[in-house]
């Protein structure tokens, strides 16, 4: 029996230490009420995305600090240190994967959290500042994503820096200065990476900690918004008193009544990140960061693909304006939205315009994202020569024309039989649309974004190419084909 | 409330002055720290790295009509720059005496353009910009032709003048 008592005594030592610590610091008296702050009834699983974002951020902090113990933040050494982390360091590939998927989770969860707040009208009085700080956190998260991609410091990192500087260069008046600050000089070089490292590891995280702190303070100060009910409009004059009454009547402590859902969902997020990192892995590094190695196709990580697509699809004459205006307008709209629409109905069933805006935004971003993923405007540099089955001949002028179609770069932009680029129209059945004459004019003079090949092709090249293109028809009837489908 | 009943109550004026003093002195303290820090951060704008002629190879290495990639070192690379100290350029020899050096940066958003010798075009992988062999725009979003670097021949060697990355 004495033995059990001894074990009990030993086991209770940590509790005793805690009691002593709490007695002297009164920490549970200070923090306890915060943790048990009353929340309105009815908050369910859709209220877990905010805390899950915070958990994803903490994963980034933990994995980021771990990576920083090996990462070399010099332009000359970063790539090699990342190769070491990815391929040699114990579980380096795993921690790097967690950092990558943690970033993805953070972006995704910020989006979900924001969507929930928007659709439930939780940004309305008195929680406008909650929304504003949330928007700042969204921008900071995207900035973390972008600078993090650069810190991979492979070819994509180097060229993304250049693209960022070029975009900044379009800002009126001070653009060139911003561009030079991004490079840390006149070109990508020794000073570039260290600056991004400082921004990614110190400046932005410090800002995130500060803003998250204020955001949480506001959440506790203003209380969690109650699930909206149709017909219950927000009136800034009466809302605070009404909310206070609601909490007094039927409030429940956040911990543990609602916190258990946050804990379970948080665990789910962590497990997803850890498992994805272990199975899918972080993206493999592109080539070394030598600005003179140009065989590369820089693409942003998935969360900025939509913006990349926007830049590619914008009509050129308005591009400079859009490049600056689109982010600016998005920022202003997001920041001022809750200030303008801070009262009235919260239920989405009474706010059809808000529902329409949310659907519109999701559709636009998803469409742009898909466009960015396929990037049909990029030449297909690696398209193989057309297959014999596609050409239909293994020798002769049509075959030779097909070879020229590949060699002279036509295939980089035009597909035939599913092979080739998609920048220009598909030419699988071009002879059904255009006569030989029309094709000749197009090829020699260009137009509509197509280069003029007049000074590039020899007359013999042109004849062979036309022989080949003339044979691209859906019809078997040769006489129809020869007239290009014109009767 | 003052513990000493004899102590006179500070006047409102004095209090206003002390408030202003606290704010002013606090601001000044922050400024004293901020000046060198901000100056340091803005260093790249203040530091002139200059430009240098860099040899890229003997003249007879470049055949008339060819466009080839050449590499050279930046004007004053930092000791830890490693491979990032290098820059590439497209060098085209038009005739016995005429050489043109193009920046590899697309004039649209700076991506590296590739020379496609059989197509005789420069093509950009990012948003599909295309340039003719003389660097003029052939299609796509680039607002103007490829930037040219100053190039010269000295003692039989081709030299290129290092230049900032062109910001459109
Ligand atoms: S960067 Fe070359 S087309 Fe956009």
């Amino acid at each position: 029996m004495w033995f059990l008592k001894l074990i009990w005594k030993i086991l209770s030592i940590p509790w005793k230490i805690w009691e002593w610590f709490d007695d002297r610091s009164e920490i549970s008296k200070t923090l306890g009420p915060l943790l048990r702050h009353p929340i309105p009834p009815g908050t369910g699983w859709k209220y877990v995305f905010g805390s899950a974002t915070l958990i994803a951020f903490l994963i980034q902090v933990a994995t980021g600090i771990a990576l920083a113990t090996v990462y070399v933040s010099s332009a000359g050494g970063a790539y090699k240190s990342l190769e070491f982390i990815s391929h040699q360091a114990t579980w380096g590939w795993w921690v790097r994967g967690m950092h990558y998927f943690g970033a993805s989770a953070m972006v995704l969860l910020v989006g979900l959290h924001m969507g929930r707040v928007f659709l439930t009208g939780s940004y309305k009085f008195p929680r406008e500042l909650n929304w504003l700080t949330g928007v700042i956190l969204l921008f900071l998260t995207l900035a973390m994503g972008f600078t993090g991609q650069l810190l991979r410091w492979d070819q994509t990192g180097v060229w993304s820096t250049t693209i960022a500087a070029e975009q900044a260069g379009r800002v009126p008046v001070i653009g060139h200065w911003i561009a030079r600050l991004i490079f840390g000089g006149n070109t990508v070089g020794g000073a570039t990476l260290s600056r991004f490292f400082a921004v990614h590891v110190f400046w932005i995280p410090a800002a995130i900690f500060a803003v998250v702190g204020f955001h949480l303070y506001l959440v506790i100060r203003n209380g969690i918004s109650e699930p909206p009910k149709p017909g219950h409009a927000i009136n800034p004059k009466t809302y605070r008193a009404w909310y206070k009454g609601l909490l007094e009547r039927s409030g429940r402590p956040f911990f543990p009544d609602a916190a258990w859902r946050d804990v379970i969902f948080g665990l789910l997020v962590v497990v997803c990140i850890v498992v994805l990192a272990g199975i899918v892995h972080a993206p493999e590094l592109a080539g070394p960061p030598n600005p003179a190695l140009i065989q590369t196709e820089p693409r942003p990580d998935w969360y900025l693909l939509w913006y990349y697509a926007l830049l590619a699809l914008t009509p050129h004459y308005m591009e400079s304006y859009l490049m600056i205006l689109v982010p600016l307008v998005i920022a202003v709209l997001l920041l001022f939205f809750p200030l303008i629409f801070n009262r009235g109905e919260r239920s989405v069933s009474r706010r059809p315009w808000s529902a329409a805006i949310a659907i519109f935004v999701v559709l636009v971003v998803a469409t742009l994202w898909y466009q960015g993923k396929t990037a049909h405007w990029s030449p297909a540099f690696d398209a193989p020569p057309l297959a014999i089955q596609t050409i239909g001949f293994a020798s002769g002028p049509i075959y030779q024309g097909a070879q020229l179609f590949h060699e002279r770069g036509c295939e980089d932009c035009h597909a035939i039989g599913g092979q080739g680029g998609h920048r220009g129209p598909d030419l699988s059945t071009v002879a059904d649309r255009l006569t030989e004459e029309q094709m000749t004019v197009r090829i020699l003079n260009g137009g509509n974004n197509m280069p003029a090949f007049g000074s590039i092709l020899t007359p013999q090249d042109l004849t062979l190419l036309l022989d080949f293109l003339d044979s691209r028809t859906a019809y078997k009837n040769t006489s129809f084909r020869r007239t290009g489908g014109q009767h | 409330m003052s513990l000493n009943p004899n102590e006179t109550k500070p006047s409102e004026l004095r209090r206003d002055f002390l408030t202003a003093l606290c704010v002013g002195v606090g601001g000044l303290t922050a400024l004293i720290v901020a000046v060198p820090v901000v100056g340091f951060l803005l260093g790249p704008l203040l530091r002139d790295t200059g430009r240098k002629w860099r040899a890229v190879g003997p003249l007879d290495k470049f055949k008339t009509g060819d466009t080839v990639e050449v590499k050279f070192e930046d004007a004053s690379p930092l000791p830890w720059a490693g491979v990032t100290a290098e820059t590439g350029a497209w060098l085209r020899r038009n005739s016995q005496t005429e050489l043109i050096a193009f920046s590899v940066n697309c004039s649209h958003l700076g991506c590296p353009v590739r020379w496609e010798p059989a197509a005789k075009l420069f093509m950009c992988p990012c948003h599909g910009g295309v340039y003719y062999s003389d660097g003029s725009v052939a299609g796509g979003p680039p607002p103007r032709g490829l930037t040219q670097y100053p190039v010269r021949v000295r003692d039989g060697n081709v030299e290129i003048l290092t230049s900032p990355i062109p910001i459109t």
Side-chain angles (χ1 to χ4, degrees):
Chain A
M1 211 53 201
W2 66 268
F3 183 66
L4 281 179
K5 267 188 186 155
L6 182 70
I7 289 184
W8 178 247
K9 277 229 152 86
I10 291 172
L11 283 180
S12 59
I13 289 176
W15 179 249
K16 288 254 152 55
I17 293 175
W18 161 248
E19 276 184 332
W20 176 86
F21 178 82
D22 196 32
D23 178 70
R24 302 306 190 274
S25 65
E26 301 210 318
I27 198 101
S28 63
K29 274 196 194 131
T30 313
L31 293 184
L34 292 182
L35 214 51
R36 285 188 296 275
H37 71 277
I39 59 162
T43 61
W45 285 101
K46 59 181 180 294
Y47 278 65
V48 297
F49 301 126
S51 64
T53 313
L54 185 59
I55 288 171
F57 174 63
L58 293 178
I59 289 182
Q60 293 309 84
V61 173
T63 51
I65 291 174
L67 290 171
T69 58
V70 175
Y71 185 77
V72 175
S73 65
S74 89
Y79 183 74
K80 287 192 202 102
S81 71
L82 257 169
E83 275 189 319
F84 176 80
I85 290 173
S86 306
H87 303 300
Q88 290 172 44
T90 311
W91 287 351
W93 56 273
W94 204 2
V95 176
R96 206 193 127 210
M98 282 171 67
H99 204 61
Y100 173 75
F101 285 103
S104 301
M106 218 176 137
V107 175
L108 215 62
L109 289 165
V110 164
L112 284 172
H113 181 50
M114 212 168 155
R116 197 278 295 162
V117 168
F118 181 75
L119 287 174
T120 55
S122 301
Y123 56 83
K124 299 200 175 201
F125 181 90
R127 301 185 181 86
E128 298 97 323
L129 259 185
N130 299 41
W131 171 274
L132 291 185
T133 48
V135 169
I136 293 170
L137 286 170
L138 167 76
F139 291 143
L140 290 174
T141 304
L142 290 178
M144 277 305 263
F146 182 67
T147 51
Q149 186 191 340
L150 298 188
L151 289 197
R152 260 178 244 153
W153 208 235
D154 51 4
Q155 274 181 314
T156 309
V158 163
W159 288 105
S160 302
T161 313
T162 309
I163 296 168
E166 293 280 352
Q167 282 184 44
R170 307 270 179 116
V171 174
V173 189
I174 54 166
H176 278 60
W177 290 339
I178 305 179
R180 282 190 65 183
L181 281 177
I182 288 176
F183 284 138
N186 284 330
T187 55
V188 172
T192 316
L193 179 75
S194 324
R195 298 175 80 80
F196 276 110
F197 180 75
V199 168
H200 184 81
V201 173
F202 298 113
W203 290 94
I204 308 182
I208 291 184
F209 271 115
V211 182
V212 162
F214 187 50
H215 194 68
L216 289 178
Y217 162 82
L218 289 168
V219 167
I220 289 172
R221 199 76 211 150
N222 290 325
I224 289 174
S225 66
E226 75 286 358
K229 276 201 193 82
H232 181 230
I234 299 274
N235 179 353
K237 287 207 180 82
T238 55
Y239 179 79
R240 277 205 159 116
W242 175 85
Y243 183 76
K244 199 164 164 240
L246 174 75
L247 290 188
E248 273 160 14
R249 279 194 311 279
S250 45
R252 299 167 300 129
F254 168 73
F255 183 85
D257 286 36
W260 69 271
R261 285 196 195 87
D262 296 88
V263 172
I264 302 261
F265 190 71
L267 174 71
L268 199 72
V269 168
V270 171
V271 168
C272 283
I273 290 171
V274 172
V275 169
L276 278 172
I279 294 175
V280 184
H281 299 191
E284 191 45 76
L285 299 173
N290 186 336
L293 295 178
I294 52 174
Q295 301 298 320
T296 177
E297 294 186 24
R299 296 276 183 276
D301 278 346
W302 69 267
Y303 33 81
L304 286 175
L305 263 184
W306 61 275
Y307 187 60
Y308 159 68
L310 184 75
L311 293 185
L313 295 172
T314 309
H316 312 151
Y317 61 90
M318 58 200 301
E319 186 185 75
S320 281
Y321 306 103
L322 283 191
M323 217 177 274
I324 311 299
L325 278 182
V326 165
L328 206 68
V329 168
I330 292 178
V332 169
L333 277 181
L334 284 175
L335 289 174
F336 284 93
F337 192 80
L339 302 181
I340 301 166
F341 303 101
N342 72 339
R343 57 188 65 214
E345 288 280 351
R346 279 185 50 209
S347 169
V348 74
S349 62
R350 299 285 174 95
R351 292 162 52 228
W353 277 107
S354 297
I357 289 172
I359 293 170
F360 177 74
V361 168
V362 170
L363 284 181
V364 167
V365 171
T367 311
L368 282 174
W369 184 86
Y370 177 73
Q371 298 284 338
K373 188 88 191 134
T374 49
H376 58 82
W377 49 80
S378 285
F381 291 115
D382 47 2
L386 295 176
I388 300 288
Q389 298 96 297
T390 309
I391 304 169
F393 297 87
S395 62
I398 291 181
Y399 172 78
Q400 288 172 20
Q403 302 311 305
L404 282 172
F405 184 80
H406 173 73
E407 285 163 19
R408 294 285 186 258
C410 314
E411 201 187 331
D412 287 356
C413 297
H414 296 282
I416 284 185
Q419 235 173 290
H422 297 279
R423 178 157 179 70
D426 189 303
L427 300 183
S428 300
T429 56
V430 63
D432 300 339
R433 286 184 279 125
L434 300 175
T435 62
E436 197 172 297
E437 226 179 6
Q438 288 169 322
M439 284 191 239
T440 309
V441 173
R442 288 282 165 92
I443 293 171
L444 294 184
N445 300 336
N448 277 345
N449 258 340
M450 175 169 158
F453 281 82
S455 59
I456 296 171
L457 298 172
T458 64
Q460 200 203 353
D461 283 350
L462 181 65
T463 312
L464 289 171
L465 259 178
L466 286 170
D467 279 339
F468 168 63
L469 292 174
D470 254 348
S471 69
R472 299 302 100 189
T473 169
Y475 301 90
K476 299 274 180 272
N477 183 334
T478 316
S479 63
F480 181 88
R481 185 176 75 213
R482 277 289 165 193
T483 58
Q486 313 283 311
H487 294 282
Chain B
M1 198 173 69
S2 172
L3 292 175
N4 181 354
N6 298 328
E7 197 178 291
T8 50
K9 209 175 149 206
S11 71
E12 275 309 307
L13 197 67
R14 184 180 149 82
R15 220 166 242 158
D16 287 350
F17 170 74
L18 289 178
T19 307
L21 185 80
C22 287
V23 173
V25 170
L28 185 70
T29 314
L31 195 71
I32 291 171
V33 179
V35 167
V37 171
V38 171
F40 179 79
L41 290 175
L42 295 181
L45 295 182
L46 311 173
R47 200 169 77 102
D48 185 13
T49 46
R51 298 171 77 180
K52 281 199 184 112
W53 287 99
R54 298 279 192 208
V56 293
L59 177 64
D60 43 9
K61 201 177 100 185
F62 305 102
K63 287 201 214 86
T64 304
D66 274 6
T67 302
V68 291
E69 202 209 345
V70 291
K71 297 172 185 177
F72 53 91
E73 196 176 63
D74 293 337
S76 52
L78 294 170
W80 56 90
V83 290
T84 60
E86 272 201 340
T87 295
W90 289 109
L91 187 71
R92 175 172 181 78
R93 184 163 183 186
N94 273 342
S95 65
Q96 195 58 24
T97 51
E98 196 197 347
L99 288 153
I100 311 179
F102 296 110
S103 153
V104 295
N105 297 100
C106 180
S107 73
H108 178 225
L109 286 178
C111 284
V113 295
R114 300 182 196 185
W115 171 247
E116 297 286 301
K120 298 200 176 84
L121 294 168
F122 292 101
M123 291 195 191
C124 177
C126 284
H127 315 101
V130 188
Y131 304 83
Y132 292 114
S133 57
D134 64 354
S136 59
V137 179
R144 56 179 174 74
L146 289 172
T147 305
Q148 295 186 12
Y149 288 122
V151 56
R152 70 181 186 188
V153 180
R154 273 284 158 97
D155 306 328
N157 271 319
V158 180
E159 292 183 350
I160 289 182
L161 185 63
T162 61
S163 309
I165 289 185
I167 302 291
T168 316

